[in-house]
Amino acid sequence: MKLKAMMIKDIKDVFLNLKDFGEIHKVDGKRMAIIIEEGGLEERELRHKDMEEGLHTRRLRVHVSAKGYGPPPLIGRQMEVDGEYYTVTGVEDGGGMYSISLEEIRQ
């Protein structure tokens, strides 16, 4: 098996496997296995600053199969995750898997 084929198999069998890392979520109207990461220390510092300004910012990184999702989302477009709407702030294509950075700002 070639490396690329092995990587694509690992996306489904390891990274997005529901027994390991993957979880079912609704993304842009489709149910699919994804991984969601929420911000760490830097995120908490930004959240504190936003609270002082009367804003609430939530940042996520979503990891999804490129094959299952389709063409990568454009930066600046709205993306729905589990009924919540976020703005796409970045997209990385890593060998068959997208890492999509999202941001939601509320008052």
Side-chain angles (χ1 to χ4, degrees):
M1 184 179 284
K2 294 184 179 184
L3 178 62
K4 185 173 182 177
M6 287 173 42
M7 289 173 60
I8 290 171
K9 185 175 179 342
D10 281 349
I11 288 170
K12 179 183 171 199
D13 294 346
V14 178
F15 298 113
L16 296 177
N17 183 318
L18 299 178
K19 293 179 183 175
D20 292 317
F21 304 109
E23 298 177 334
I24 298 294
H25 291 271
K26 192 172 180 182
V27 179
D28 287 338
K30 293 182 359 184
R31 289 176 45 84
M32 61 181 68
I34 66 173
I35 299 169
I36 295 179
E37 287 183 69
E38 297 226 28
L41 179 60
E42 177 183 296
E43 176 71 18
R44 287 190 292 276
E45 290 171 359
L46 288 170
R47 190 177 304 132
H48 179 71
K49 180 181 177 194
D50 290 343
M51 287 178 161
E52 291 173 359
E53 297 172 2
L55 301 174
H56 168 74
T57 302
R58 183 175 182 203
R59 291 178 179 86
L60 302 177
R61 181 168 291 230
V62 175
H63 304 278
V64 62
S65 163
K67 183 177 179 181
Y69 185 81
L74 299 174
I75 293 174
R77 80 171 273 267
Q78 293 293 297
M79 182 175 186
E80 180 187 4
V81 178
D82 295 332
E84 298 287 327
Y85 290 89
Y86 299 87
T87 301
V88 176
T89 59
V91 179
E92 296 174 29
D93 185 350
M97 196 160 181
Y98 299 141
S99 292
I100 306 168
S101 298
L102 303 171
E103 181 176 84
E104 174 191 48
I105 299 175
R106 292 186 189 171
Q107 287 190 337

